[in-house]
Amino acid sequence: MKLRVNAKDLLKTLNLAKIAVGGQRGEAIYKSILFLFENNQLKLITYDCEVFLYQSLPCLPIQTDQSAMTLINLKITSSLLKSFENVKSIEITLTKEKAHFSSAEHPDLEIQASNGDERGFLTAFKTMKIAIDKFNHSIIPRRNFLTALQRICHSLCKDETRQKLLMVHMENNHIMASDGSRLSYQPFRFVSSCPISINSKKIEKLKTFLKSEISASVKIKSTHEFCLVYGEKNVFMIKNLSHERFPNIQQQLQKAKQNTLSIRLSAEFPERVPANFLNGYH
């Protein structure tokens, strides 16, 4: 299978994939990326059992087979392909044993396939497609969602203590962040099939994904196992943590609602109240 892709799009996709599964320990297969060509599309899939990233790149088939896939090391591929930064397009040949990259402006480059099968990646891919087809989604402005996540995380902690943030919790009409003892709350209108609890480290990856998206809006779906956020061609699927991991979340929410302070602004008050104004209020 031989095809041609835009070099800039491919390098951007590999960089995002490296961020999505970077810093994780585990088997070598989960440090890999699957190049999958089917239905005249090149699909790049990264998966580490908690985070799943699927991206579809436009491509021009040169020599077509019915389908082709190659699983290669993500870190090595991303590092070696940096030498293609100044070229316009890259030709990719996929076989079971290797992936071959070339350009008229650069010498050929071959990367051997990773040891391991692709079943984990394809299973996650199938799970993602079922979830997209089965569950209702909510369409939300991408920038508004990103801003809400940034504010809810930053308002909870100062710079030197922000690493203590444990998780972010989303339900209909609100987003919360907690460090186990304090809670930051912000109204945000969206509809989810079930509550979503996400580890704070994964939230950083979700924010990176939202920054990389170019669409004005994104869709969000949730199941008891996964949360999916996707734009026009990219899908970010992240593990939905059960409430048992954070047993005090409902108590914290009730406490926050009971201690809501209403302020009527006048000429003596600034038009904007800092996001962390109510921190520590009980």
Side-chain angles (χ1 to χ4, degrees):
M1 176 70 232
K2 189 174 183 179
L3 49 92
R4 182 181 292 118
V5 298
N6 180 278
K8 186 177 180 180
D9 291 343
L10 178 60
L11 294 175
K12 181 180 178 181
T13 299
L14 291 173
N15 185 57
L16 181 59
K18 193 166 63 172
I19 294 173
V21 299
Q24 303 293 325
R25 295 182 179 179
E27 297 181 40
I29 186 174
Y30 299 123
K31 294 289 189 180
S32 301
I33 185 166
L34 181 66
F35 281 67
L36 173 64
F37 178 82
E38 63 177 13
N39 300 325
N40 290 321
Q41 283 188 323
L42 177 62
K43 302 171 182 178
L44 275 65
I45 302 172
T46 314
Y47 176 60
D48 71 350
C49 293
E50 289 190 344
V51 174
F52 171 88
L53 180 65
Y54 157 73
Q55 296 180 285
S56 178
L57 290 182
C59 65
L60 175 64
I62 301 175
Q63 297 175 359
T64 58
D65 297 325
Q66 188 173 4
S67 63
M69 68 175 70
T70 308
L71 184 68
I72 54 180
N73 184 280
L74 174 58
K75 184 176 181 180
I76 293 175
T77 304
S78 178
S79 178
L80 292 178
L81 287 185
K82 285 183 179 179
S83 58
F84 285 79
E85 286 181 343
N86 297 321
V87 305
K88 293 183 179 179
S89 63
I90 300 175
E91 292 185 359
I92 306 174
T93 303
L94 301 176
T95 68
K96 190 174 182 180
E97 295 78 21
K98 61 187 177 182
H100 182 273
F101 301 89
S102 64
S103 172
E105 309 157 65
H106 194 280
D108 293 359
L109 177 66
E110 285 189 355
I111 300 176
Q112 297 297 316
S114 298
N115 294 325
D117 59 52
E118 301 84 0
R119 286 178 294 180
F121 291 78
L122 296 179
T123 299
F125 184 51
K126 182 179 179 181
T127 301
M128 178 270 296
K129 290 199 293 186
I130 291 175
I132 287 179
D133 294 337
K134 182 177 180 181
F135 295 92
N136 294 328
H137 64 257
S138 179
I139 301 177
I140 53 180
R142 178 182 61 87
R143 289 188 178 275
N144 291 1
F145 187 31
L146 176 60
T147 300
L149 290 176
Q150 291 173 329
R151 286 179 177 175
I152 203 71
C153 295
H154 283 237
S155 65
L156 183 66
C157 310
K158 296 180 180 179
D159 289 341
E160 61 270 18
T161 60
R162 191 167 293 140
Q163 295 302 318
K164 294 182 179 179
L165 178 68
L166 288 179
M167 67 99 186
V168 172
H169 182 80
M170 294 181 279
E171 288 191 45
N172 294 340
N173 302 322
H174 69 261
I175 300 178
M176 297 181 294
S178 173
D179 64 358
S181 60
R182 296 175 297 169
L183 179 141
S184 183
Y185 175 96
Q186 179 170 326
F188 187 80
R189 185 174 296 278
F190 74 101
V191 178
S192 60
S193 305
C194 60
I196 305 167
S197 297
I198 302 176
N199 180 283
S200 61
K201 293 181 180 179
K202 305 301 186 296
I203 282 291
E204 293 302 316
K205 296 179 179 183
L206 174 57
K207 289 193 291 186
T208 301
F209 173 79
L210 291 172
K211 290 177 183 177
S212 71
E213 265 294 316
I214 59 174
S215 56
S217 300
V218 294
K219 299 176 183 177
I220 183 169
K221 293 186 178 186
S222 61
T223 72
H224 291 290
E225 295 181 348
F226 298 100
C227 166
L228 294 98
V229 181
Y230 54 102
E232 294 180 1
K233 298 179 180 179
N234 306 328
V235 178
F236 185 90
M237 183 168 69
I238 194 166
K239 190 173 182 181
N240 188 7
L241 301 175
S242 64
H243 285 170
E244 287 73 17
R245 294 281 297 275
F246 305 98
N248 63 339
I249 188 64
Q250 292 302 327
Q251 292 89 329
Q252 289 196 24
L253 176 58
Q254 290 301 321
K255 185 177 180 180
K257 289 180 177 179
Q258 292 170 4
N259 291 286
T260 300
L261 178 63
S262 298
I263 301 176
R264 185 174 181 179
L265 299 179
S266 66
E268 299 178 0
F269 288 88
E271 293 184 359
R272 296 184 179 181
V273 178
N276 62 351
F277 183 78
L278 297 179
N279 280 2
Y281 175 76
H282 297 287

